[in-house]
Amino acid sequence: MSDPNQLPGLAHFCEHMLFLGTEKFPDENEYSKFLSQHGGSFNAFTSSDHTNYYFDVSPDNLGGALDRFSQFFLTPLFTESATDREVNAVNSEHEKNIPNDTWRINQIEKATSDSKHDFSKFGTGNKETLDTLPKEKGVSVRDSLLEFHSAWYSSNIMGLAVLGREELETLQEMVVDRFTGVVDKSVVVPEWTTAPFTDDQCGSVTYIVPVKDIRNLNITWGIPDLTSYYQSCPGSYLGHLIGHEGPG
């Protein structure tokens, strides 16, 4: 939801680009090659309000994997050539989602919300939003990627979890040695104090023709932001009670 208005999908595109070379490891395939050669795998996803990167690797090669992974947040290259090519990968991901009913419903929710609210943004992005339209408007997507990474990839709003067979002190040393250079930019976590659905959008019915032979009834209503109650998770209680399929 923090994408620039003129570049829908930039956060997702940034996620893709971090895998494609850093100053210390400029080879675009270095990270993926290292993990695949040592019994590992990796992936990432961009949600509405955060991005998550994760990997696994054989125990003996955790240090090498962390070496390569940490550079995502220190010195990514965002090369022009990779930027031009990777936008096609983002576009392919978008096209894969088009016939998916879950993604279609998700986008309809966004399209029927308050257009002034960040929730309404097109978060995946495609070739049109990340290549064609920016070029027509004279917007440099690579410069925007650098600006986005510089603005939001700050240690004070990032978290890291590492699981290994080493002693806790050893793991801590491995992490501190590699990630201490991630800058604390004192970024303030965005808060959305207004609901994405105002009175104008509520009380409406939308009929969707599905791709698959499915019949669903989805009811959406707003509740207060429960983030600060993460330890007790009151939303889980609410979901359990509403979703309870017992008698009565």
Side-chain angles (χ1 to χ4, degrees):
M1 293 197 292
S2 295
D3 285 338
N5 290 326
Q6 74 275 21
L7 286 170
L10 189 68
H12 181 216
F13 193 24
C14 182
E15 169 217 309
H16 275 243
M17 290 299 301
L18 291 193
F19 292 100
L20 301 179
T22 62
E23 288 185 9
K24 186 175 181 180
F25 301 100
D27 184 346
E28 290 182 11
N29 299 313
E30 177 61 32
Y31 178 71
S32 59
K33 182 171 64 177
F34 182 88
L35 291 177
S36 63
Q37 288 175 345
H38 297 95
S41 63
F42 67 95
N43 213 329
F45 64 85
T46 295
S47 186
S48 295
D49 60 356
H50 71 279
T51 299
N52 186 302
Y53 303 84
Y54 54 94
F55 72 85
D56 59 80
V57 70
S58 60
D60 290 336
N61 293 281
L62 177 59
L66 287 173
D67 277 340
R68 289 156 178 78
F69 181 65
S70 61
Q71 296 302 309
F72 289 11
F73 316 107
L74 295 168
T75 55
L77 291 179
F78 295 121
T79 63
E80 290 280 5
S81 59
T83 301
D84 291 340
R85 280 184 282 105
E86 194 62 20
V87 73
N88 293 315
V90 173
N91 191 67
S92 295
E93 188 174 335
H94 164 65
E95 291 182 343
K96 172 183 64 69
N97 294 337
I98 290 175
N100 183 296
D101 285 307
T102 300
W103 280 96
R104 292 163 75 91
I105 293 170
N106 175 266
Q107 189 57 43
I108 287 173
E109 283 189 337
K110 291 176 176 291
T112 55
S113 67
D114 181 2
S115 60
K116 299 182 182 65
H117 198 283
D118 287 338
F119 176 79
S120 67
K121 293 179 179 179
F122 173 43
T124 305
N126 59 17
K127 191 172 181 67
E128 181 180 13
T129 67
L130 294 169
D131 183 64
T132 305
L133 292 178
K135 285 180 178 177
E136 291 177 358
K137 298 175 182 177
V139 176
S140 169
V141 176
R142 180 177 183 273
D143 289 347
S144 298
L145 283 167
L146 290 166
E147 292 170 6
F148 185 89
H149 187 276
S150 176
W152 293 109
Y153 280 70
S154 173
S155 63
N156 72 300
I157 60 170
M158 298 167 70
L160 176 67
V162 179
L163 175 65
R165 68 184 180 186
E166 293 82 1
E167 295 291 336
L168 181 59
E169 290 184 359
T170 302
L171 287 173
Q172 182 173 329
E173 289 176 1
M174 293 171 67
V175 168
V176 170
D177 287 346
R178 293 166 173 83
F179 290 88
T180 192
V182 181
V183 179
D184 179 356
K185 302 164 187 172
S186 300
V187 172
V188 177
V189 177
E191 292 186 13
W192 291 269
T193 57
T194 58
F197 294 91
T198 66
D199 291 341
D200 292 335
Q201 287 84 40
C202 290
S204 61
V205 178
T206 302
Y207 295 93
I208 304 170
V209 178
V211 176
K212 293 185 177 180
D213 185 18
I214 58 174
R215 301 290 185 271
N216 289 335
L217 172 64
N218 293 355
I219 303 175
T220 302
W221 68 93
I223 60 174
D225 183 7
L226 303 177
T227 304
S228 60
Y229 304 104
Y230 69 93
Q231 290 181 310
S232 57
C233 298
S236 297
Y237 289 93
L238 185 61
H240 174 75
L241 293 172
I242 295 175
H244 183 55
E245 298 179 1

